[in-house]
Amino acid sequence: MGRPPDAHSTLAPAGTTTVPGLIPDLIARLPWPSWALTAIAVAAGVLAVSCLLCVACCCCCHLRRQGCRKKPRGQEAVGLGGPQGTTSIHLVQPDVESSESAPGGPQHWGRLLLSLGYDFGSQEIQVGLKQAADLRAGGQGGTADPYARVSLSTGAGHTHETRVHRGTLCPTFHETCCFHVPQRELARTALRVQVLSFRRFSAHKPLAELSLPLGTVDPQHVLEQWYQLGPPGTTEPEPSGELCLSLRYVPGSGRLTVVVLEARGLSPGLADPYVKVQLMLNQRKWRKRKTSTRKGTAAPYFNEAFTFLVPFSQVQSVDLVLAVWARGPQFRAEPVGKVLLGVRASGQALQHWADMLAHARRPVAQWHRLRPAGEVDGALALKPRLHLPLPGS
């Protein structure tokens, strides 16, 4: 007689076989020790977690690359003082379609985020350059080194240039400039913003342009708004000319070498051009040199080097001013234009100074647009110093 079935056992259906403990039975039949099986299981778990982390990192990188193409969220604007106190703030963010041009559709040149406000006390229009998006690189391999140039349509006042942003089509500027415009002239004045791609030894490539009539701006409010950029206009030749120079600084010995290379675009009515090089410390002339005179040319070639001893502790306190002089119609020497470099400079000149500090012991050459002498003198007196990172700091 057989044993009666256990009360707790379960009868298998007809035509099937019971397989008690399939996985433990398979593990028991393997010829490997238990510690080897545990190590294999741990390694498989680590490999699976690593694969998941790699997939997550790839997704994050893809989203970060596409981040500049998303519509930026509204940013907080800063109020300006008006005649009745603090003015109100309006943030305008219109819906802008994707900047990708459809086949056969209109071309898009990018967008620009600006904040505009008017100070009744000083009668100045305050322009805040926030950022640009979806710029077109043209034939530069999908990238550019953009910067912005801001001026007024009337030609009055100075021209503000931002710093150069390397290798991007979505630069973030966060720079502010002011222009003196009497209230009665607002309706007849337009703000011109040019976006260009920086080129060190050739003409800078225009990328896009914005012309905004100031008569459409409500002076009682600060407006921060995205504007659609248009095609770049014709770049006017520089009225004062340009100057090419090279900078080299050796921190150990404190030797600052300035090489005046050449000038171009000077007025044909000027004669006997030469260049004065002045090193200023604490708004006072500290050292000065000048090149020899070049006769009978509007594109003089100098290639003259000057060396100044500037201790490493004072390199953040000096200003370098280069002035092109020539004889005018009255046969008197007069300044044609100046170039300001150092921590008080802005735009391309500040970028050149920063490149010199970042690449110590190596000469860095660049073309610079000549600015009016009064504009440079005003920048020396009004602009605060900006501390740049030093090599080795």
Side-chain angles (χ1 to χ4, degrees):
M1 297 294 295
R3 292 174 52 191
D6 191 0
H8 299 284
S9 62
T10 303
L11 295 177
T16 62
T17 57
T18 59
V19 187
L22 177 61
I23 295 179
D25 186 53
L26 291 176
I27 294 177
R29 292 181 182 181
L30 292 176
W32 297 335
S34 60
W35 62 267
L37 297 176
T38 303
I40 293 174
V42 170
V46 171
L47 181 60
V49 172
S50 301
C51 293
L52 291 176
L53 290 177
C54 290
V55 172
C57 291
C58 291
C59 293
C60 291
C61 293
H62 178 72
L63 292 176
R64 192 171 300 171
R65 292 192 191 100
Q66 299 296 328
C68 67
R69 294 190 176 274
K70 295 181 180 180
K71 297 177 182 178
R73 296 179 179 177
Q75 300 181 3
E76 185 177 352
V78 181
L80 301 176
Q84 288 83 19
T86 304
T87 59
S88 60
I89 299 173
H90 284 250
L91 187 65
V92 182
Q93 175 61 66
D95 292 334
V96 181
E97 297 180 356
S98 175
S99 62
E100 297 296 331
S101 300
Q107 291 184 334
H108 294 277
W109 301 90
R111 298 174 292 147
L112 183 66
L113 180 61
L114 287 179
S115 67
L116 295 174
Y118 189 76
D119 191 338
F120 288 91
S122 60
Q123 293 191 344
E124 288 183 337
I125 185 76
Q126 300 190 5
V127 183
L129 292 163
K130 303 299 182 180
Q131 65 182 97
D134 305 328
L135 297 176
R136 297 183 55 185
Q140 301 185 27
T143 186
D145 299 330
Y147 71 96
R149 179 184 297 172
V150 188
S151 60
L152 298 179
S153 60
T154 58
H158 64 282
T159 299
H160 177 82
E161 291 183 350
T162 67
R163 296 191 64 179
V164 179
H165 297 263
R166 306 286 186 181
T168 178
L169 297 179
C170 303
T172 300
F173 301 112
H174 287 307
E175 297 189 26
T176 304
C177 57
C178 300
F179 298 91
H180 179 75
V181 182
Q183 187 176 357
R184 63 180 182 275
E185 298 181 6
L186 279 175
R188 301 190 299 269
T189 307
L191 182 72
R192 185 185 185 192
V193 183
Q194 297 172 285
V195 182
L196 304 98
S197 181
F198 172 79
R199 293 178 177 178
R200 190 176 294 275
F201 297 111
S202 61
H204 302 170
K205 177 181 177 59
L207 299 179
E209 186 173 320
L210 171 67
S211 181
L212 180 64
L214 297 181
T216 61
V217 178
D218 185 1
Q220 297 290 339
H221 304 90
V222 178
L223 297 178
E224 184 171 303
Q225 179 176 345
W226 283 95
Y227 294 93
Q228 197 73 31
L229 293 171
T234 57
T235 304
E236 299 87 354
E238 303 297 344
S240 301
E242 294 176 292
L243 181 66
C244 184
L245 58 104
S246 171
L247 298 177
R248 179 175 180 264
Y249 183 68
V250 182
S253 60
R255 297 171 67 89
L256 173 63
T257 303
V258 182
V259 182
V260 182
L261 295 172
E262 59 179 314
R264 66 185 180 190
L266 302 181
S267 175
L270 301 175
D272 305 337
Y274 63 95
V275 179
K276 287 185 178 181
V277 183
Q278 296 179 346
L279 192 66
M280 304 183 66
L281 178 64
N282 297 327
Q283 297 181 334
R284 295 182 179 180
K285 295 181 181 179
W286 189 26
R287 302 282 189 273
K288 61 180 180 179
R289 305 283 181 82
K290 72 174 184 176
T291 67
S292 56
T293 302
R294 297 293 185 267
K295 298 182 180 294
T297 177
Y301 181 77
F302 300 101
N303 196 22
E304 299 186 29
F306 306 96
T307 301
F308 303 93
L309 294 179
V310 182
F312 186 73
S313 59
Q314 294 180 335
V315 72
Q316 292 278 23
S317 303
V318 297
D319 301 295
L320 182 65
V321 181
L322 294 94
V324 178
W325 287 67
R327 286 192 297 107
Q330 303 297 329
F331 298 99
R332 293 177 52 187
E334 55 188 28
V336 178
K338 292 185 177 183
V339 175
L340 170 63
L341 298 108
V343 292
R344 292 181 184 272
S346 62
Q348 304 170 38
L350 180 61
Q351 185 70 45
H352 193 183
W353 190 263
D355 290 344
M356 177 199 70
L357 294 177
H359 304 87
R361 303 177 181 86
R362 193 175 74 183
V364 182
Q366 183 174 317
W367 281 96
H368 292 274
R369 181 175 59 92
L370 294 177
R371 299 165 58 188
E375 182 179 326
V376 173
D377 295 340
L380 285 172
L382 298 177
K383 285 197 174 180
R385 284 186 169 85
L386 174 66
H387 290 281
L388 300 174
L390 298 174
S393 60

